[in-house]
Amino acid sequence: MDRGSKAPIHRQIYTQIRNMILTGDLPGGTRLPSTRTLGMELGVSRITMVNAFQILTSEGFLRSRAGDGTYVGNEWLNEAVTAPEVRRPELSSRAGLSASTRGSDLQRQTSPSWNPEDPESFVASQVGIDLFPTSVWKRLIGRHSEEQSIEMLGYPEALGHRPLREAVADYLRDSRGIDAAVEQIVITSGAQQAINALMLMMTDPGDEVWMEEPGHIAASAAMLANGCRVLPVPIDECGADLAQMPNELPAGRLMFLTPSRQHPLGVQMSLARRMDWVAWANEQGSWLIEDDCDSELRYRGSRLPSLYELDRGQHVVHVGSFSKIMFPSIRVGYVVLPEDLVDSFATAISVTGRAPATLMQAATADFIREGHLNTHVRRSRKTYAQRQEALLRELRNQLGSFIRAEAVDAGMHVIGWLPSTVDDQRLAAQLADKGVYTYALGDYLLERSLPPALLIGFAATDAGHMPDAVNYMVRALRHDGYSC
Amino acid sequence: MDRGSKAPIHRQIYTQIRNMILTGDLPGGTRLPSTRTLGMELGVSRITMVNAFQILTSEGFLRSRAGDGTYVGNEWLNEAVTAPEVRRPELSSRAGLSASTRGSDLQRQTSPSWNPEDPESFVASQVGIDLFPTSVWKRLIGRHSEEQSIEMLGYPEALGHRPLREAVADYLRDSRGIDAAVEQIVITSGAQQAINALMLMMTDPGDEVWMEEPGHIAASAAMLANGCRVLPVPIDECGADLAQMPNELPAGRLMFLTPSRQHPLGVQMSLARRMDWVAWANEQGSWLIEDDCDSELRYRGSRLPSLYELDRGQHVVHVGSFSKIMFPSIRVGYVVLPEDLVDSFATAISVTGRAPATLMQAATADFIREGHLNTHVRRSRKTYAQRQEALLRELRNQLGSFIRAEAVDAGMHVIGWLPSTVDDQRLAAQLADKGVYTYALGDYLLERSLPPALLIGFAATDAGHMPDAVNYMVRALRHDGYSC
């Protein structure tokens, strides 16, 4: 008996007797001592033993005969029970179990992880949560969390909470220039769910899909998980370059693009390139998936029209998320689709995991409607610009001989180019060991076609703390023998 | 100009000029009238025109030459722009686009839908939301919605919010007899996400998987979406019957089971059958997916040990959800896995859509910890039992000659067997047209192996309203010419 355990004593006794029966240590037909005797032996009250016996009897493990005592039952008894296979096998005997090809691929994927309590995080996707107006958020959440309606508590609408779809349509029109009907908008639990569902809907296993190189790791993961072959398209200072793809290549089923801020390199795709891709999609009958990640966080230059607008929504699915502009744990995003594809997409979402909690959708709708989102975007943009400036200054002052970084016009990280002999993946792992978190550019490449670099995030670090944060990185690098 | 539109006038003008440029109606190099002239022509102020021109200029569509006026720019100009493909194509010209096999399959799937404002819903999965303690819920949500921490606002932990994983471990031990370590528990956004991620992790396209017949529609959908072949296993009064599967069949990669309350027939799997399946999994090296749906809502008889416990977690993944025992829009569930598979599963979740919002996880943890869940389960069980009784009484009194239904020991719906000549899918559609929502048993069958029946839910209808609700169904049936 484990008196420190949280399980009640009678439950512990129940579990032990049941396991003895299941392993065959107590064979069917065995007569058990009385509850009084057993209770005394185990040092527990008779009532505790009776409770344990009652559960075992109701479940068929024991049966009591009037005036005769309690026996191990045999309702559940068949060959399986006494066969040795039922004994807890060694883990190695299960090795074949998880050996589907897809499963093994998943096991090999490393997801960059970090400990929020560690000292210095430059994680590129980490937002400045200190800026988020949580008192406003609490009020909006509170407004809906007591609503006892089917709309609020029942299954979420397949296409998303209607008020949020309306708010997103207005938001896209007013701040992004995208003219889409409410009927074209489906709410998702973020860009990742959207991309995975689009792969399910648009591709078959073995299809070729085109992808930015370097590109969004999680998007490639969804492509691979859905059985697609991923063909890399090189990036230059104008964005993904169609002209560099050999003419004899089969037309891809789709191309994945991040035109507002190329992920991870940070460049904005030029208008001419945008038109190239729209023409390609039209000529080939292919799809463009436009992930509009970080389009709100633009510090310099104006935002160019989205692919969706340039194509006017015929071959482009526009994907957006509130994870970066509100906060990551919100898990609310959206897609804009041609209206005739909306139902297929909603089905793909319902197969892979359904819409986010209605409460989160309702509060997000109010956050947009009442102007808090625009205020928060403006505030974040201003503060992030200062944080970027501080990061670049400190990198130049403290690490100028080792890391070369230039300002990005949009987003939450800079690219810190390393000396060509350095292995960026190894370096990132070494830094992470010391609680300094960055991503390696190498992780974003299907082929090793670019020099080594780190993605260094600035959004989550206060400008005043930046000198210390970078100094900590310098010391970590020196400790590992890098001369900087 | 559309003065009724929500878009500001300058934005409307911007969009129109941009579209004229994109379609080639305004070729590159065209000189535009002055903002003053254009404003007068369009009946808008000069400042409105200036605003529109400024956006167009910043995006490269226009360029102004000092002292010379404004011209259509050519930064974006290439062959693509003037090519006819960029004109909005007819929908039919896009037909090839969505024609992936998986995409077409998704388009054919019908998801049962219903309108909550319609009069009489007997939807089998609809819970009695009138019973849920929303004032408690509001308090728990309020407690966490102002927390400005990385833990609460940053990316959700891949395995789920730690306090919720701990609460689930205790809950499973105390109320389900499942002895699992916190490290084996992963939070999901519900059973559907869990099942889809398990298919991704455990199977490859073309693999054979076994499935209850009739069985959980959404589970088969996930199997098919992941490229698996689904083999039906017949159900009898003891649950899924292994003995009815031909010996020469190849071992399935996995079997999907709902032992607590077979979905949709409602029977509980016997202990002997449970041991059969555990032995099968051990012998074949296959997985069992145990969806423990509705195990809390048991009105008669005791709950039998879970497959997970009987196998002691070697070949069984145990799937649970709070959608039915709390409320469907919560989107929080869990799986219990062998510890060495936890990371692969978390990766599969991260590829397909990530964990639910941390706020919902934190409030659910408190709801369990503080005893509200147990109270609510007890209360629901009692009220649902009364509602079932009322439904059966009314079906007997008002529809006894047409529908034959028996009490279920667990769950939220009864099976209403129909005369053998009736087409249950057609009948359910006819009823839905009149705002009476049920599911057809035929929808749950891969092969037509059972007589026609309806799933008739009772959980969401107050017992006092049941006579009227069933009367409404009777009138709908008579209106469609059924003699009852």
Side-chain angles (χ1 to χ4, degrees):
Chain A
M1 228 66 57
D2 176 7
R3 303 258 171 201
S5 158
K6 284 183 188 165
I9 301 290
H10 76 270
R11 193 85 213 176
Q12 293 185 40
I13 294 171
Y14 154 85
T15 304
Q16 285 184 23
I17 296 179
R18 193 189 62 188
N19 286 349
M20 289 171 77
I21 296 174
L22 287 173
T23 53
D25 292 345
L26 272 179
T30 309
R31 187 172 187 277
L32 294 182
S34 74
T35 49
R36 186 180 310 272
T37 314
L38 262 178
M40 275 163 57
E41 267 178 39
L42 296 171
V44 303
S45 72
R46 177 162 175 264
I47 193 72
T48 300
M49 285 308 305
V50 170
N51 283 338
F53 271 39
Q54 266 174 356
I55 307 177
L56 288 160
T57 308
S58 74
E59 291 184 350
F61 287 103
L62 300 183
R63 53 175 55 190
S64 67
R65 302 186 197 156
D68 184 25
T70 304
Y71 290 79
V72 175
N74 54 13
E75 198 240 303
W76 45 270
L77 264 185
N78 61 15
E79 316 78 69
V81 174
T82 46
E85 290 88 352
V86 181
R87 292 181 175 270
R88 187 182 279 267
E90 295 301 307
L91 274 187
S92 59
S93 79
R94 295 199 301 111
L97 269 175
S98 60
S100 77
T101 312
R102 283 200 286 225
S104 313
D105 285 348
L106 287 173
Q107 244 161 351
R108 273 198 304 274
Q109 282 174 33
T110 59
S111 33
S113 69
W114 61 290
N115 178 353
E117 279 159 28
D118 269 335
E120 300 307 342
S121 169
F122 296 96
V123 168
S125 53
Q126 194 56 50
V127 309
I129 54 157
D130 53 320
L131 306 178
F132 188 73
T134 47
S135 56
V136 169
W137 184 244
K138 178 177 180 148
R139 182 160 49 79
L140 301 181
I141 284 278
R143 189 185 288 170
H144 297 286
S145 57
E146 205 176 359
E147 265 177 51
Q148 197 136 21
S149 64
I150 288 194
E151 192 184 14
M152 192 54 61
L153 298 181
Y155 279 97
E157 291 171 74
L159 305 182
H161 190 52
R162 177 86 192 187
L164 178 57
R165 294 169 69 208
E166 287 168 358
V168 167
D170 288 350
Y171 171 73
L172 287 173
R173 190 189 54 241
D174 296 346
S175 72
R176 194 73 191 87
I178 287 179
D179 190 20
V182 175
E183 289 68 29
Q184 294 178 259
I185 292 169
V186 180
I187 304 303
T188 68
S189 65
Q192 187 63 33
Q193 187 189 41
I195 295 165
N196 183 65
L198 288 171
M199 292 302 143
L200 182 58
M201 183 178 94
M202 293 176 168
T203 70
D204 288 313
D207 276 1
E208 271 143 348
V209 297
W210 291 20
M211 177 70 196
E212 294 177 327
E213 168 84 346
H216 196 335
I217 297 175
S220 331
M223 292 169 175
L224 295 170
N226 282 282
C228 295
R229 286 186 52 210
V230 183
L231 302 185
V233 181
I235 307 293
D236 65 17
E237 69 285 356
C238 297
D241 189 4
L242 182 56
Q244 289 190 46
M245 296 302 279
N247 273 331
E248 63 275 17
L249 265 186
R253 176 71 80 163
L254 59 85
M255 170 69 183
F256 178 88
L257 290 164
T258 50
S260 282
R261 184 204 50 88
Q262 202 279 326
H263 192 62
L265 291 183
V267 297
Q268 181 170 222
M269 184 180 281
S270 69
L271 255 173
R273 277 293 163 75
R274 287 172 195 241
M275 298 311 297
D276 284 350
W277 282 109
V278 168
W280 175 83
N282 277 272
E283 281 156 22
Q284 307 285 338
S286 301
W287 289 104
L288 300 178
I289 298 181
E290 174 175 45
D291 183 346
D292 204 35
C293 177
D294 285 358
S295 73
E296 298 87 354
L297 299 173
R298 169 153 293 281
Y299 312 114
R300 252 200 315 258
S302 63
R303 296 205 290 196
L304 296 177
S306 65
L307 295 174
Y308 180 87
E309 273 293 279
L310 294 175
D311 181 57
R312 273 158 304 155
Q314 292 300 305
H315 303 79
V316 179
V317 177
H318 184 87
V319 178
S321 163
F322 295 108
S323 299
K324 303 270 175 71
I325 49 168
M326 290 176 66
F327 55 91
S329 88
I330 192 171
R331 311 315 308 142
V332 175
Y334 54 84
V335 295
V336 185
L337 295 142
E339 211 174 325
D340 56 339
L341 287 185
V342 159
D343 285 335
S344 298
F345 180 75
T347 305
I349 288 281
S350 79
V351 168
T352 56
R354 301 250 162 89
T358 309
L359 177 60
M360 303 303 282
Q361 297 191 53
T364 303
D366 289 356
F367 195 78
I368 299 170
R369 279 259 177 268
E370 297 175 12
H372 306 297
L373 181 61
N374 284 333
T375 309
H376 179 58
V377 166
R378 270 196 303 274
R379 189 175 168 214
S380 301
R381 202 153 44 202
K382 193 173 153 210
T383 307
Y384 289 178
Q386 293 161 354
R387 290 179 178 180
Q388 178 177 208
E389 220 172 284
L391 173 66
L392 290 172
R393 186 174 52 239
E394 294 307 322
L395 286 177
R396 209 163 39 234
N397 291 347
Q398 301 191 47
L399 270 171
S401 62
F402 189 70
I403 290 182
R404 187 173 46 81
E406 281 172 25
V408 286
D409 294 345
M412 307 196 297
H413 69 268
V414 299
I415 302 288
W417 299 100
L418 301 166
S420 60
T421 52
V422 171
D423 177 339
D424 54 9
Q425 286 162 312
R426 182 157 169 267
L427 178 63
Q430 288 173 319
L431 284 174
D433 275 347
K434 289 168 195 64
V436 180
Y437 296 94
T438 60
Y439 293 149
L441 181 60
D443 289 341
Y444 294 78
L445 289 162
L446 295 170
E447 296 157 10
R448 185 76 246 191
S449 48
L450 285 172
L454 296 179
L455 278 66
I456 310 177
F458 51 76
T461 307
D462 187 77
H465 180 59
M466 207 61 90
D468 286 348
V470 172
N471 183 254
Y472 194 91
M473 189 194 285
V474 173
R475 283 184 290 140
L477 287 168
R478 288 194 183 136
H479 183 274
D480 282 319
Y482 293 96
S483 51
C484 55
Chain B
M1 229 66 57
D2 176 8
R3 303 260 170 200
S5 159
K6 283 184 190 165
I9 300 292
H10 76 271
R11 194 82 213 177
Q12 293 186 41
I13 294 170
Y14 155 84
T15 305
Q16 285 184 22
I17 296 179
R18 194 190 63 188
N19 286 349
M20 288 171 76
I21 296 174
L22 287 172
T23 53
D25 292 343
L26 273 179
T30 308
R31 186 171 187 278
L32 293 182
S34 73
T35 48
R36 187 181 307 274
T37 313
L38 262 179
M40 274 164 57
E41 267 177 41
L42 296 169
V44 301
S45 71
R46 179 164 173 262
I47 193 74
T48 301
M49 285 308 305
V50 170
N51 283 338
F53 271 39
Q54 265 173 358
I55 307 176
L56 288 161
T57 306
S58 73
E59 291 182 350
F61 286 103
L62 299 183
R63 53 176 56 191
S64 66
R65 301 186 197 154
D68 185 26
T70 304
Y71 289 79
V72 174
N74 55 14
E75 197 241 305
W76 45 270
L77 265 186
N78 62 14
E79 316 77 69
V81 174
T82 46
E85 289 88 350
V86 181
R87 293 182 173 270
R88 188 183 279 268
E90 295 302 305
L91 275 188
S92 58
S93 80
R94 296 199 298 112
L97 269 175
S98 60
S100 78
T101 313
R102 282 200 287 225
S104 314
D105 285 350
L106 288 174
Q107 244 162 350
R108 273 198 304 275
Q109 281 174 33
T110 59
S111 34
S113 69
W114 61 291
N115 178 354
E117 280 160 27
D118 270 335
E120 300 307 340
S121 168
F122 297 96
V123 169
S125 53
Q126 194 56 50
V127 309
I129 55 156
D130 53 321
L131 306 177
F132 188 73
T134 47
S135 55
V136 169
W137 183 243
K138 177 177 181 150
R139 182 160 46 80
L140 302 181
I141 284 278
R143 189 185 288 170
H144 297 287
S145 56
E146 206 176 359
E147 263 176 52
Q148 197 137 19
S149 64
I150 288 194
E151 192 185 13
M152 193 54 61
L153 297 182
Y155 278 96
E157 292 172 73
L159 305 181
H161 190 53
R162 177 87 192 185
L164 177 58
R165 294 168 69 206
E166 288 168 357
V168 167
D170 287 351
Y171 171 73
L172 287 173
R173 190 188 55 240
D174 296 345
S175 71
R176 194 73 192 84
I178 288 181
D179 191 19
V182 175
E183 289 69 28
Q184 295 178 258
I185 292 169
V186 181
I187 304 303
T188 67
S189 64
Q192 187 64 33
Q193 188 189 40
I195 295 166
N196 183 66
L198 288 171
M199 292 303 142
L200 182 58
M201 183 178 91
M202 292 177 168
T203 70
D204 288 313
D207 275 2
E208 271 144 349
V209 297
W210 292 20
M211 176 71 197
E212 295 178 327
E213 167 84 347
H216 197 336
I217 297 175
S220 331
M223 292 168 174
L224 294 170
N226 282 282
C228 295
R229 284 187 52 210
V230 183
L231 301 184
V233 181
I235 306 294
D236 64 17
E237 69 285 357
C238 296
D241 189 4
L242 182 56
Q244 290 191 47
M245 296 302 279
N247 274 330
E248 63 275 18
L249 265 186
R253 176 71 81 163
L254 58 87
M255 170 69 182
F256 177 89
L257 290 164
T258 51
S260 283
R261 181 201 58 84
Q262 201 278 325
H263 192 64
L265 292 181
V267 298
Q268 181 170 222
M269 185 180 282
S270 70
L271 254 173
R273 276 296 162 73
R274 288 172 196 242
M275 298 310 297
D276 285 350
W277 282 109
V278 168
W280 175 82
N282 277 272
E283 282 155 21
Q284 307 285 338
S286 301
W287 289 104
L288 300 178
I289 299 182
E290 174 176 44
D291 183 346
D292 204 35
C293 178
D294 285 357
S295 73
E296 299 87 355
L297 298 173
R298 170 153 294 280
Y299 313 114
R300 253 198 316 257
S302 62
R303 295 204 290 195
L304 296 177
S306 64
L307 296 174
Y308 180 87
E309 274 292 277
L310 294 174
D311 180 58
R312 275 159 303 156
Q314 292 301 305
H315 304 78
V316 179
V317 177
H318 184 87
V319 178
S321 163
F322 295 108
S323 300
K324 301 270 175 70
I325 50 167
M326 288 176 68
F327 55 90
S329 87
I330 193 171
R331 311 314 310 141
V332 176
Y334 54 85
V335 296
V336 185
L337 295 141
E339 211 174 324
D340 55 340
L341 287 185
V342 159
D343 285 335
S344 297
F345 181 75
T347 305
I349 289 282
S350 78
V351 168
T352 57
R354 303 250 160 89
T358 309
L359 177 60
M360 303 303 283
Q361 297 190 54
T364 304
D366 289 355
F367 195 78
I368 300 170
R369 278 262 178 264
E370 297 175 12
H372 306 297
L373 180 60
N374 285 334
T375 308
H376 179 59
V377 166
R378 270 197 302 276
R379 188 175 170 214
S380 301
R381 202 151 47 200
K382 194 173 151 209
T383 307
Y384 289 178
Q386 293 161 353
R387 291 179 177 181
Q388 177 176 207
E389 220 173 283
L391 172 66
L392 290 171
R393 186 173 54 237
E394 294 306 324
L395 286 177
R396 210 162 40 235
N397 291 348
Q398 300 191 48
L399 272 170
S401 61
F402 189 70
I403 289 181
R404 188 173 46 81
E406 281 172 25
V408 287
D409 293 347
M412 306 195 298
H413 70 268
V414 298
I415 302 287
W417 298 101
L418 301 167
S420 60
T421 52
V422 171
D423 177 339
D424 54 9
Q425 286 162 312
R426 182 157 167 267
L427 178 63
Q430 288 173 319
L431 284 174
D433 275 347
K434 288 166 196 66
V436 179
Y437 296 94
T438 60
Y439 294 149
L441 181 60
D443 290 340
Y444 294 77
L445 289 162
L446 295 169
E447 296 156 10
R448 183 78 245 190
S449 50
L450 285 172
L454 296 178
L455 279 66
I456 310 177
F458 51 76
T461 307
D462 187 76
H465 179 59
M466 207 61 91
D468 286 347
V470 172
N471 183 255
Y472 194 92
M473 189 193 287
V474 173
R475 285 185 287 142
L477 288 167
R478 288 194 183 136
H479 184 275
D480 282 320
Y482 293 95
S483 50
C484 57

